[in-house]
Amino acid sequence: MSKQPDTEAERDAEAGTGTVVLRRARAADARAAADVWLRSFAAALPTVVRPRSDTEVRAWFRHVVVERYETWVAEGTDGAVAGVMVLEGEELSQLYLAPERRGRGIGDRFVALAKERRADGLSLWTFQVNAPARRFYERHGFRAVEWTDGDRNEEREPDVRYVWRPRRS
C-alpha cells in the first residue's frame, strides 16, 4: 500500500507538476509574464484578433502592468513563470496560464488569492467565445452581469462582465 502525499509539494511532485509559488511580480518578470500572456491568448483564443503586436504586449507588461498594477506570477521550481494575474483596483484584469500548465490548480490558487486580496468583491471581463474561462469563473462563484457586443474593447470581440461578492453571514 502506497503512502498518500501529505503536502502540496508531494502532490505536485507525484503529479509531475512541480511546486508553484505565487509571488508578486518584479520588473525582471515582465518579459516572462508577457510571454505567458501571449502563448495563453494564442492557445485559448485562436479566433480573437489581437490589436497589439508581441513587441507592444511585452512593452505594455514592462512599462505599465508590472509597474502600475498589483501583478502576481506563478513560478515553478525551475524558475519559469507558469502564470500571471493582475489586479487593478477591484478588477481581476488578467489571469493567464502557460498552456501546458492549465488544469493543475494554478488558476484556482490565483482566484483564491484575488478573493483574499479583494475580500469585498471582484469583477472581470472575458470574451464570450472563451467558454472554458466562463465555466472556470462561474465555478468560482462569479456571476455574469453584463453582456456586450465588444464595442468597448480593443479586440472588438463580444464580452461578458462577471462579478464576485462574498457571502455575508
Side-chain angles (χ1 to χ4, degrees):
M1 180 175 208
S2 66
K3 178 185 176 288
Q4 292 295 314
D6 294 324
T7 67
E8 181 177 356
E10 290 173 338
R11 286 188 300 275
D12 286 346
E14 187 172 276
T17 61
T19 301
V20 172
V21 174
L22 304 185
R23 64 168 175 78
R24 287 294 293 267
R26 301 182 287 265
D29 297 315
R31 171 75 185 231
D35 287 345
V36 165
W37 188 98
L38 288 164
R39 290 178 40 231
S40 181
F41 194 101
L45 301 164
T47 63
V48 177
V49 177
R50 281 192 301 117
R52 306 269 182 238
S53 69
D54 291 3
T55 300
E56 290 170 319
V57 169
R58 289 183 183 111
W60 173 62
F61 265 85
R62 183 174 58 253
H63 299 296
V64 178
V65 175
V66 174
E67 285 187 16
R68 296 183 189 169
Y69 303 118
E70 186 176 335
T71 304
W72 292 80
V73 293
E75 181 180 58
T77 55
D78 59 358
V81 172
V84 60
M85 178 184 77
V86 181
L87 297 170
E88 292 181 42
E90 79 160 25
E91 185 174 2
L92 174 54
S93 68
Q94 309 290 327
L95 198 166
Y96 287 86
L97 303 176
E100 70 277 6
R101 300 304 294 263
R102 288 182 61 196
R104 297 184 184 183
I106 299 169
D108 298 331
R109 290 178 59 198
F110 269 141
V111 169
L113 175 63
K115 288 178 175 181
E116 177 183 308
R117 304 285 299 169
R118 302 296 187 271
D120 289 334
L122 289 162
S123 66
L124 63 89
W125 290 92
T126 194
F127 296 118
Q128 291 180 27
V129 298
N130 195 347
R134 292 179 33 218
R135 284 191 303 271
F136 172 81
Y137 291 120
E138 290 167 4
R139 195 171 66 246
H140 285 279
F142 286 82
R143 300 289 173 245
V145 296
E146 181 180 1
W147 299 78
T148 80
D149 62 3
D151 68 340
R152 291 182 283 173
N153 64 56
E154 291 181 314
E155 296 82 2
R156 299 294 180 235
E157 182 72 29
D159 56 6
V160 57
R161 181 172 173 257
Y162 280 90
V163 172
W164 168 80
R165 295 289 178 246
R167 292 185 180 155
R168 302 288 182 203
S169 359

